[in-house]
Amino acid sequence: MNLVIFGPPGAGKGTQSKFIVKKYNLFQLSTGELLRKEIINKTLIGSEISSTMNSGNLVSDKIASDLIEKFVSINEYKNRFIFDGYPRNKTQAENLNQLLKKYNQKINLVLKLSVSLDVIKKRIIGRSVCSICGKIYNEFFNPAPINTNCCAPRFLQKRSDDTLDISITRYETYEKNIKPVIDFYEESKLLKVVNGEKPISEITKEISALINGIKGWLCTITQYKYAGT
Ligand code: AP5
């Protein structure tokens, strides 16, 4: 089973993906995270994309798609993807279909998390990520636990694009590009819209119900658990 999750910045794509990955033994493919790794590792691509990401615009389709293909081509991850933040425009949506076809796969479910700009601003400003385990927190809605080693304040990091100004540009970039993606997945009857303003656990439940509703998928899960892997 392959899933796509998309929505505006701060919609909760990363938060929900991490729960889903654990519950269904999937592999999270976040283009945002992959691109940030390129910057941290000071690769050639990293130096090219740093200013684009910090301006709130999209990096080129070629860069994003090449990163995706590196993983889609790996057999171990076959039919276990949750694509987080890819596709972001129609070119990327078409490319993802072609790429999956090339590797004998398809998309089973597309989730759109809907969240208003007012909520997004607070989510982005309050976000921090644990540099040790990658858990995502929010000082207003979902604070890191006290008395913990791993997610202690000294390990919590802010993203350089998580400022109010850049978050507004990121939101505008999303709005400018996403309509054809929504149409694309509506036409293929894969799209489910989820209210991303509910509490985190309620959204996870709703997404789990949608996943469990995919024909044939529960059988695969049962076999996986039964095999004791
Ligand atoms: P990316 O890293 O993907 O950023 P984004 O799309 O802006 O999304 P975020 O990671 O900000 O938010 P999220 O939806 O994952 O929310 P989260 O779960 O963290 O991309 C960054 C940049 O990379 C882009 O701007 C672009 O330049 C480039 N890029 C990436 N992909 C690309 C592509 N395909 N093509 C071209 N360029 C690309 O949650 C946010 C906060 O809210 C957290 O603090 C969390 O604790 C909190 N929260 C989450 N859910 C809830 C809830 N239900 N209630 C209360 N709080 C919640």
Side-chain angles (χ1 to χ4, degrees):
M1 175 188 65
N2 291 315
L3 308 177
V4 167
I5 187 163
F6 74 90
K13 304 182 289 291
T15 301
Q16 293 301 331
S17 295
K18 292 198 186 335
F19 286 118
I20 299 166
V21 158
K22 232 177 165 175
K23 186 165 177 185
Y24 295 97
N25 187 36
L26 298 183
F27 178 78
Q28 180 189 3
L29 223 178
S30 155
T31 35
E33 281 183 17
L34 291 176
L35 292 166
R36 276 187 288 282
K37 270 189 198 148
E38 296 286 332
I39 296 175
I40 290 166
N41 294 336
K42 297 189 167 52
T43 65
L44 214 58
I45 293 175
S47 57
E48 198 183 322
I49 60 176
S50 172
S51 59
T52 309
M53 285 178 75
N54 278 322
S55 70
N57 292 303
L58 297 182
V59 310
S60 76
D61 290 334
K62 167 124 180 57
I63 288 179
S65 303
D66 285 352
L67 282 178
I68 286 282
E69 182 158 12
K70 271 191 200 164
F71 291 87
V72 173
S73 59
I74 298 174
N75 206 35
E76 187 193 337
Y77 302 137
K78 190 172 179 181
N79 287 320
R80 285 180 53 215
F81 287 106
I82 173 151
F83 296 96
D84 161 5
Y86 188 98
R88 297 200 186 218
N89 57 32
K90 195 172 176 197
T91 308
Q92 293 186 8
E94 287 169 343
N95 180 65
L96 183 58
N97 266 9
Q98 279 167 15
L99 203 58
L100 288 172
K101 203 170 165 192
K102 181 173 164 189
Y103 292 98
N104 220 359
Q105 301 181 57
K106 63 174 186 171
I107 297 166
N108 301 87
L109 179 66
V110 178
L111 300 160
K112 173 181 181 282
L113 289 178
S114 292
V115 180
S116 68
L117 179 57
D118 276 348
V119 174
I120 280 165
K121 286 180 191 165
K122 238 179 156 177
R123 288 208 185 160
I124 298 260
I125 298 309
R127 171 170 49 193
S128 56
V129 180
C130 176
S131 56
I132 309 292
C133 70
K135 272 196 188 139
I136 305 168
Y137 294 106
N138 192 290
E139 65 184 81
F140 306 113
F141 306 115
N142 177 30
I146 311 163
N147 297 333
T148 163
N149 281 335
C150 174
C151 305
R154 66 182 183 284
F155 297 128
L156 297 183
Q157 290 184 340
K158 292 265 181 196
R159 272 168 48 177
S160 58
D161 60 347
D162 273 356
T163 66
L164 192 57
D165 282 355
I166 303 175
S167 70
I168 292 170
T169 310
R170 280 159 63 198
Y171 181 81
E172 288 168 351
T173 303
Y174 169 81
E175 286 287 307
K176 200 170 78 191
N177 290 290
I178 211 65
K179 178 78 174 69
V181 178
I182 296 171
D183 294 344
F184 185 82
Y185 288 126
E186 254 175 357
E187 271 166 34
S188 47
K189 308 217 179 317
L190 292 169
L191 185 72
K192 298 285 177 199
V193 180
V194 175
N195 178 355
E197 295 193 2
K198 289 184 186 170
I200 293 174
S201 60
E202 273 188 40
I203 298 172
T204 310
K205 264 192 211 154
E206 194 173 330
I207 291 177
S208 300
L210 290 169
I211 294 174
N212 295 344
I214 299 174
K215 230 175 147 191
W217 168 241
L218 270 184
C219 289
T220 324
I221 284 266
T222 316
Q223 280 161 11
Y224 161 74
K225 283 194 175 151
Y226 195 67
T229 44

